[in-house]
Amino acid sequence: MPELEITLGDRTFVVACQAGEEPFLQAAAQILDTEATSLQAKVGRLPDVRMLLMAGLMVADRMAAIDADLQQVRARMAQMERVLQQSGAAGTAQRALDGLEMVTLQLESLAERVQAQGG
């Protein structure tokens, strides 16, 4: 089982993972490190457990907001698909396609936000 050395805040930890999962662990550690570093800059040095708890909660909060956005986009997309399926008129179908294009743009924007946050 591979072991990786990761840095969170200004502290180094050795963690094990399954073979092949190293890039995912490193990416997750980078996201957590970003939050831990930000937290330390704001409040100073914290005990390891408290720093990890607060950084984890900050990451979870961001992920919950992204998940809520994604659910809204999925609901809008489903609505547009229903309109398209029920529509026989070209104009209505075109409006539905336009709506799907808008949803696609929203998904791309959401993906960019996730990538910008290190995910």
Side-chain angles (χ1 to χ4, degrees):
M1 184 172 280
E3 290 187 348
L4 291 177
E5 191 173 279
I6 61 171
T7 301
L8 303 175
D10 60 354
R11 297 169 185 111
T12 301
F13 301 89
V14 175
V15 294
C17 65
Q18 297 295 321
E21 292 183 350
E22 297 91 343
F24 301 108
L25 178 59
Q26 289 172 333
Q30 180 60 48
I31 293 169
L32 198 56
D33 178 53
T34 299
E35 295 301 334
T37 301
S38 172
L39 185 62
Q40 284 182 321
K42 291 177 187 169
V43 298
R45 189 155 176 88
L46 295 168
D48 288 352
V49 172
R50 187 146 183 90
M51 181 214 28
L52 291 172
L53 171 65
M54 295 302 295
L57 288 172
M58 291 166 67
V59 169
D61 180 59
R62 283 188 182 188
M63 296 308 294
I66 290 169
D67 188 51
D69 290 346
L70 180 58
Q71 293 303 321
Q72 288 179 348
V73 168
R74 283 181 175 160
R76 179 83 171 133
M77 186 183 240
Q79 178 186 15
M80 292 291 112
E81 287 173 349
R82 283 191 301 274
V83 168
L84 184 58
Q85 289 173 354
Q86 294 171 355
S87 170
T92 303
Q94 185 58 52
R95 285 194 300 277
L97 288 173
D98 292 344
L100 285 173
E101 183 177 343
M102 181 185 72
V103 169
T104 300
L105 293 174
Q106 290 174 335
L107 283 172
E108 289 171 356
S109 174
L110 184 59
E112 288 172 8
R113 284 179 46 204
V114 170
Q115 288 176 346
Q117 292 180 8

